[in-house]
Amino acid sequence: MQLQDILYSQGFGTRRVCAGLIQQGFVQVYESNEALAPVLHTQAAIELEAEGLRFRVQGVDWPYHEKAYVMLNKPTATECSQKPSTYPSIYTLLPSALRLRPQKGAVQGVQAVGRLDQDTTGLLLLTDDGQFIHRMNSPRHHVPKIYEVTVKHPLDDTQVARLLAGVVLDDDPKPVRAAAAEAVSSHHLRLTLLEGKYHQVKRMVAAVSNRVEALHRSQIGGLRLPDDLAPGQWRWLSAADLASLKA
């Protein structure tokens, strides 16, 4: 694969822009996984093995990924929208290369796998793999999502039991059940859901006569939000991370 095409596939601009970056000396390539320093390349059409390639563009190291899978620790007061209405978009927290990866459709770059409300924090996945998004969002696949819920009023056994038994929301006569519910403390509820209805956690908690004061998603499938990933930070998902999402 030509180096200019590799850069283009990773979101560094049009092929002409990518060729210009290379010819102007802004691109270096690690010759092997063990290489400590990259080597300058100025020939845009040089053929390289893309899989496993690491390179540096304008001083920033970048690994080649045929498909991008990343996690973001979503901070509060941000919107999961390309066109936010009130708060900044979560996409502004990502480097431009992730936002500009070429897609066959009209929308470029990685997309959020589901959404979190503007005041909800925690684990958010983003990818440019449409099949992955569909699989993670499909109710048929029952991917569990764990939320840490701070509630206004003290929790009791009755509220937890009702969440496990099922509560009726105003737009659906069929009861909605939590896959798991645990009162971690008097005002901390740990809730596991297998689906993602609109404002589901807030509405379920309201249905048992309580109120959500703060909401944080800590886990999706077997993937936990790392303690060292600060709000607003992102990182690539490893092969082990992707496997844990199916666990």
Side-chain angles (χ1 to χ4, degrees):
M1 192 172 180
Q2 291 187 0
L3 183 55
Q4 61 186 350
D5 292 331
I6 292 174
L7 262 62
Y8 168 73
S9 74
Q10 302 302 287
F12 286 95
T14 64
R15 286 183 173 85
R16 177 173 290 183
V17 167
C18 292
L21 286 170
I22 297 165
Q23 291 161 359
Q24 293 172 48
F26 292 125
V27 179
Q28 298 165 291
V29 175
Y30 289 89
E31 299 290 285
S32 69
N33 288 331
E34 295 77 27
L36 298 178
V39 175
L40 178 67
H41 281 278
T42 56
Q43 298 299 316
I46 187 173
E47 294 280 345
L48 296 170
E49 177 62 43
E51 191 62 37
L53 187 70
R54 290 188 303 135
F55 51 93
R56 181 178 291 176
V57 180
Q58 294 179 305
V60 178
D61 285 351
W62 201 262
Y64 173 85
H65 288 283
E66 183 178 358
K67 292 291 184 181
Y69 305 94
V70 303
M71 69 168 78
L72 171 74
N73 186 351
K74 179 189 175 296
T76 189
T78 53
E79 296 183 28
C80 294
S81 172
Q82 298 277 10
K83 298 179 180 179
S85 59
T86 306
Y87 297 94
S89 168
I90 53 108
Y91 295 99
T92 63
L93 301 171
L94 302 174
S96 62
L98 284 176
R99 303 197 307 267
L100 297 176
R101 286 174 69 96
Q103 293 270 46
K104 292 181 180 179
V107 180
Q108 288 183 309
V110 297
Q111 305 299 312
V113 182
R115 293 191 173 196
L116 294 177
D117 297 338
Q118 56 86 12
D119 56 351
T120 300
T121 62
L123 181 57
L124 184 68
L125 305 179
L126 300 103
T127 182
D128 57 354
D129 183 343
Q131 291 185 340
F132 178 83
I133 293 175
H134 175 75
R135 184 170 70 252
M136 294 298 298
N137 286 337
S138 172
R140 294 187 297 109
H141 289 89
H142 301 297
V143 179
K145 299 176 178 66
I146 299 179
Y147 297 87
E148 312 299 330
V149 191
T150 303
V151 296
K152 182 175 183 178
H153 308 294
L155 294 161
D156 57 42
D157 292 342
T158 301
Q159 292 178 21
V160 174
R162 287 184 62 195
L163 290 168
L164 290 169
V167 295
V168 176
L169 305 181
D170 54 16
D171 64 345
D172 190 351
K174 184 180 178 181
V176 177
R177 298 175 177 83
E182 173 193 0
V184 180
S185 66
S186 63
H187 290 76
H188 178 186
L189 172 69
R190 180 167 294 136
L191 201 63
T192 302
L193 303 180
L194 299 179
E195 52 191 333
K197 294 179 179 290
Y198 180 71
H199 287 172
Q200 184 172 345
V201 174
K202 296 175 181 177
R203 293 160 70 204
M204 288 180 71
V205 171
V208 299
S209 302
N210 213 321
R211 177 177 170 177
V212 172
E213 295 286 277
L215 184 57
H216 177 83
R217 185 159 68 191
S218 59
Q219 187 168 334
I220 300 175
L223 179 64
R224 287 190 57 81
L225 181 67
D227 293 335
D228 61 351
L229 191 66
Q233 290 186 338
W234 70 277
R235 71 172 53 162
W236 295 100
L237 293 184
S238 67
D241 291 333
L242 289 169
S244 70
L245 289 168
K246 302 175 184 178

